[in-house]
Amino acid sequence: MFEHELPHLFVLPIEREWGSWRVAGIINWSDHIARTTVDLTRLGVPPQGDVHVYDFWHQRYLGIARDSLVLPRQLPHETTLLLLKPVSNQPDLLASTFHVTQGAVEVRSVERRAASEDQLSLVVRLEKAGRQYGQLLFTVPSGWQAVSARVNDRPVRQITPVVEGVVGVRLWLEDEATVEITYNQPSAISHQPSVIGVKGDTES
């Protein structure tokens, strides 16, 4: 608590029936651009635990981190707001851009539907007052492929590729919406997201 006169780290653990993650704020109080390294165990991430990292304000997926996280360029007095979510070998909802908690407020439920051994759908129900544009981000682990999506039972023309291993579905959220994304598991497909800020590794 008393390491610094001004706090430069804060973390909000979030638990829901359909998932758990952490929202972390990292603050550069200096008047200069800073290179910031954060020990993830200080944010409650278990040692050797791989987590997806998403930068909310810049709407940028930063990759997978383990043990430590490096922010190579933090602007003076900038607060970087990150989502840290455990990596899974199953397709999952990664983040929502409709609220700073990235799913805790507006996501009411995530339902997994297995049509067969090699096909899976995620059904996400959203509820938030007003009309706003944003996206849901989904992971695409190795061995899976995102093949289609629907918003309010209407087909989405294109699933947005974010990086290898992550896709997005953009939509207008008007009070409530339902998003369904379908995956299949072809015999030969490989997705390997980049790894960032790993001790002993170079940045990517």
Side-chain angles (χ1 to χ4, degrees), residues 9-15 20-24 26 38-53 64-69 82-87 196-199:
L9 291 175
F10 65 86
V11 61
L12 175 66
I14 298 172
E15 296 279 346
S20 62
W21 65 99
R22 295 174 183 273
V23 175
I26 303 167
V38 180
D39 182 349
L40 291 180
T41 60
R42 295 188 62 197
L43 302 179
V45 177
Q48 302 299 309
D50 291 347
V51 289
H52 294 284
V53 183
I64 293 175
R66 176 188 295 177
D67 294 337
S68 66
L69 170 68
L82 302 177
L83 172 140
L84 306 170
K85 190 163 190 178
V87 173
I196 60 170
V198 177
K199 290 182 178 178

Side-chain angles (χ1 to χ4, degrees), residues 17-44:
E17 291 183 0
W18 46 269
S20 62
W21 65 99
R22 295 174 183 273
V23 175
I26 303 167
I27 306 170
N28 174 21
W29 289 106
S30 76
D31 296 328
H32 308 284
I33 294 173
R35 176 184 173 89
T36 305
T37 301
V38 180
D39 182 349
L40 291 180
T41 60
R42 295 188 62 197
L43 302 179

Side-chain angles (χ1 to χ4, degrees), residues 139-153:
T139 62
V140 187
S142 176
W144 290 91
Q145 184 178 38
V147 294
S148 64
R150 303 177 71 87
V151 175
N152 296 329
D153 210 30

Side-chain angles (χ1 to χ4, degrees), residues 3-192:
E3 286 182 355
H4 302 274
E5 183 177 353
L6 296 172
H8 73 284
L9 291 175
F10 65 86
V11 61
L12 175 66
I14 298 172
E15 296 279 346
R16 293 293 182 267
E17 291 183 0
W18 46 269
S20 62
W21 65 99
R22 295 174 183 273
V23 175
I26 303 167
I27 306 170
N28 174 21
W29 289 106
S30 76
D31 296 328
H32 308 284
I33 294 173
R35 176 184 173 89
T36 305
T37 301
V38 180
D39 182 349
L40 291 180
T41 60
R42 295 188 62 197
L43 302 179
V45 177
Q48 302 299 309
D50 291 347
V51 289
H52 294 284
V53 183
Y54 185 72
D55 182 335
F56 179 79
W57 296 123
H58 294 101
Q59 295 196 7
R60 185 169 64 227
Y61 177 74
L62 301 183
I64 293 175
R66 176 188 295 177
D67 294 337
S68 66
L69 170 68
V70 177
L71 301 175
R73 183 180 172 84
Q74 245 194 324
L75 297 178
H77 303 279
E78 179 181 20
T79 298
T80 302
L81 189 65
L82 302 177
L83 172 140
L84 306 170
K85 190 163 190 178
V87 173
S88 171
N89 60 6
Q90 292 293 307
D92 197 8
L93 172 66
L94 175 61
S96 162
T97 67
F98 291 101
H99 190 268
V100 293
T101 58
Q102 298 167 77
V105 172
E106 73 279 26
V107 176
R108 294 306 181 194
S109 66
V110 179
E111 179 184 354
R112 306 177 75 89
R113 297 176 179 173
S116 64
E117 290 185 359
D118 59 358
Q119 189 174 83
L120 171 71
S121 294
L122 298 180
V123 180
V124 182
R125 292 182 172 85
L126 300 161
E127 185 178 329
K128 191 169 185 285
R131 184 176 188 266
Q132 53 202 297
Y133 187 72
Q135 71 172 330
L136 299 182
L137 297 169
F138 296 90
T139 62
V140 187
S142 176
W144 290 91
Q145 184 178 38
V147 294
S148 64
R150 303 177 71 87
V151 175
N152 296 329
D153 210 30
R154 295 182 179 180
V156 173
R157 291 184 180 180
Q158 181 181 9
I159 299 174
T160 305
V162 177
V163 297
E164 192 172 8
V166 178
V167 298
V169 176
R170 299 183 181 276
L171 70 145
W172 281 100
L173 174 56
E174 300 184 54
D175 296 329
E176 58 183 33
T178 300
V179 177
E180 180 175 357
I181 183 169
T182 300
Y183 298 80
N184 64 19
Q185 198 172 22
S187 57
I189 182 171
S190 176
H191 287 298
Q192 183 60 49

